[in-house]
Amino acid sequence: MNYFTQSAFPLVWVVVPAAGAFLRARHATSSQERLEIWQRWWAIGAFGCGSLWMTVAFLAFPDVMATAIGFERTPFMFEIAFANLALAVLGFRAASASARERLTIGIAGGMFLWGAAIGHVYQWFANGDHAPGNTGGVLVTDVLLPAVMIVLALRSRRLTAKIAA
């Protein structure tokens, strides 16, 4: 697999849920229904499936993942797999959660993924790590997955408050 393909692959977990939500939400009859569609697609597709994929990749193909991120294989990769499994469980839970719980899930995911993004950028500039799993698409997904979850949850809370008023 070439560098561009490896670097861009994580964007699947942004593009597919966004496209699915967009296509499905076209038929929504209200803002609330449209927002719920987006939240569920994002929770399951981006957060859930994306994180589950990372779990499987780090457990089943640790040597491939080590090469992709530009490091030697270490026991820490096992921990990364299970941190991603926690995010996957949270993502699947978010599919039927309240706006408040989705906000909490987005913040919790952000703590791990934004920390990972900072680590990727540090490795990029401090050590010249331009491996496809360290720069490119992974940076976009590490930033966007929790950020979009948080924004959608905040919009849902505001919409619910507006409807209740």
Side-chain angles (χ1 to χ4, degrees), residues 42-65:
W42 198 258
I44 294 168
F47 233 79
C49 292
S51 298
L52 187 58
W53 167 255
M54 292 305 295
T55 301
V56 171
F58 272 100
L59 290 176
F61 311 106
D63 293 328
V64 171
M65 292 305 291

Side-chain angles (χ1 to χ4, degrees), residues 42-56 80-95 105 109 112-113 145 149:
W42 198 258
I44 294 168
F47 233 79
C49 292
S51 298
L52 187 58
W53 167 255
M54 292 305 295
T55 301
V56 171
I80 292 172
F82 280 89
N84 276 285
L85 181 59
L87 292 181
V89 169
L90 289 172
F92 294 131
R93 169 67 190 119
I105 289 167
F112 173 69
L113 293 172
L145 264 61
M149 178 77 77

Side-chain angles (χ1 to χ4, degrees), residues 61-80:
F61 311 106
D63 293 328
V64 171
M65 292 305 291
T67 300
I69 60 177
F71 285 95
E72 297 295 319
R73 184 174 171 184
T74 70
F76 181 64
M77 294 171 64
F78 187 78
E79 295 175 25
I80 292 172

Side-chain angles (χ1 to χ4, degrees), residues 24-161:
R24 176 66 180 89
R26 292 180 310 153
H27 306 292
T29 58
S30 69
S31 297
Q32 192 169 7
E33 182 184 3
R34 191 171 2 275
L35 183 54
E36 186 63 26
I37 290 166
W38 272 91
Q39 288 181 106
R40 287 186 180 177
W41 271 89
W42 198 258
I44 294 168
F47 233 79
C49 292
S51 298
L52 187 58
W53 167 255
M54 292 305 295
T55 301
V56 171
F58 272 100
L59 290 176
F61 311 106
D63 293 328
V64 171
M65 292 305 291
T67 300
I69 60 177
F71 285 95
E72 297 295 319
R73 184 174 171 184
T74 70
F76 181 64
M77 294 171 64
F78 187 78
E79 295 175 25
I80 292 172
F82 280 89
N84 276 285
L85 181 59
L87 292 181
V89 169
L90 289 172
F92 294 131
R93 169 67 190 119
S96 61
S98 67
R100 182 178 173 143
E101 190 174 0
R102 286 175 175 157
L103 178 60
T104 302
I105 289 167
I107 292 169
M111 296 305 96
F112 173 69
L113 293 172
W114 294 335
I118 291 167
H120 290 305
V121 171
Y122 174 80
Q123 291 301 323
W124 178 5
F125 287 102
N127 298 311
D129 184 352
H130 298 284
N134 190 62
T135 56
V138 70
L139 288 174
V140 174
T141 59
D142 282 356
V143 171
L144 283 184
L145 264 61
V148 170
M149 178 77 77
I150 291 167
V151 168
L152 291 172
L154 289 172
R155 288 188 69 201
S156 181
R157 287 184 69 175
R158 287 187 191 119
L159 185 59
T160 302

